[in-house]
Amino acid sequence: MLDLSAQFQQLKGDLMPAIESVLENASFVNGSEVGEFAKELSIYTGIKHVIPCANGTDALQLSFMSLELPEGSEVICPGFTYIAVAEVCKLLNLVPVFAEVDTDTFNLDPFEIEKHITPKTKAIVPVHLFGQCCDMESIMAIAEKHNLYVIEDNAQSIGAECFYSDGSIKPAGGIGHIGTTSFFPSKNLGAYGDGGAVFTNDDVLAKKIKTLANHGQEIKYQHKLVGINSRLDTLQAAILLVKLKHLNHFTKLRQETAAAYDNAFKDIEQVKIPKRFNKSSHVFHQYTLQVLQGDRTNIVTALKAAGISSMVYYPIPVHKQEAFRNDQSLPICENLCKTVISLPIGTEMSQESIEYIAYTFKQIIKQK
Ligand SMILES: *Cc1c(COP(=O)(O)O)cnc(C)c1O
């Protein structure tokens, strides 16, 4: 789906000295690169505080811990997404309430959020799925009206921008009270191992999250809070410092690949190409189509036989997972799980390989 070894070859000249420097200084934990990376990412996103941590799931956990929501509080999140939000809620004795998503953008539908608000609701977690922001203007208005916290899960849309109706532009992850991201290797800004970060413009929350990520201590061996140990390795920070410089270029390549796919598939009635939401830019973490006619399993098999990888994000909605099962019915989420398919959208794809994938996918779709 993404050729990380080809990407490494391209960046090797910058990466190896950065890695070597960490090894030579032997400051593997909390080395200077960690703070430097946090500062650079803050400048890049325009979000005041960036608190690096061990992974994107920890970033969500730290966010919830900092809010100290009463046990049993309800958290509204999408039913069509990665499992992390639901998992963290359960671990912290919060109740994830899954809401329906928009058929076209796959993102949390603001209208559906309101249906689930009860006196116990304390937070909303919009997940900016596949590279595109949720309707944050509407979501923030709902949150304000009902006095709810908003945590943006921005693991998939780093660098995306939200367009507000007054013409202003806001960064994904920097609109709600807290935002989170992941540097898992396959993410748009990927490390060579695990990594994550929490974003906030709130000074008080930032200080608390930083403390929580460091065993609840501000001063060594003085533990003010019950925290966790969640750090970004110095090595990963050094790698991310190099990769951040290329993020805009990589995003542009992803967008170009997406445009080429769009062009190839736009007139094929058997599939629906990814809709561009007019209130967001799209950084194409994934290029995700919907198969409207034909058997998706056969399509995946035929692609594989032609040497083309594809993925189904996500095959089972969160509310149907064994660990989180409830009696909710979310037909749009359930239908998306049956119809979506993502094609390769790497940053190292040649024009020929894009054309080959487009041509082959088109042939397969027409036959299946
Ligand atoms: C990847 C991802 C996460 C979790 O990040 P990890 O670093 O793997 O813990 C959370 N939410 C979404 C939407 C993701 O895509």
Side-chain angles (χ1 to χ4, degrees), residues 55-57 81-82 84 127 153 155-156 182 184 187 195 314:
N55 57 66
T57 309
T81 184
Y82 188 60
V127 180
D153 180 348
Q156 300 191 3
S182 162
F184 187 78
K187 300 284 154 92
Y314 295 93

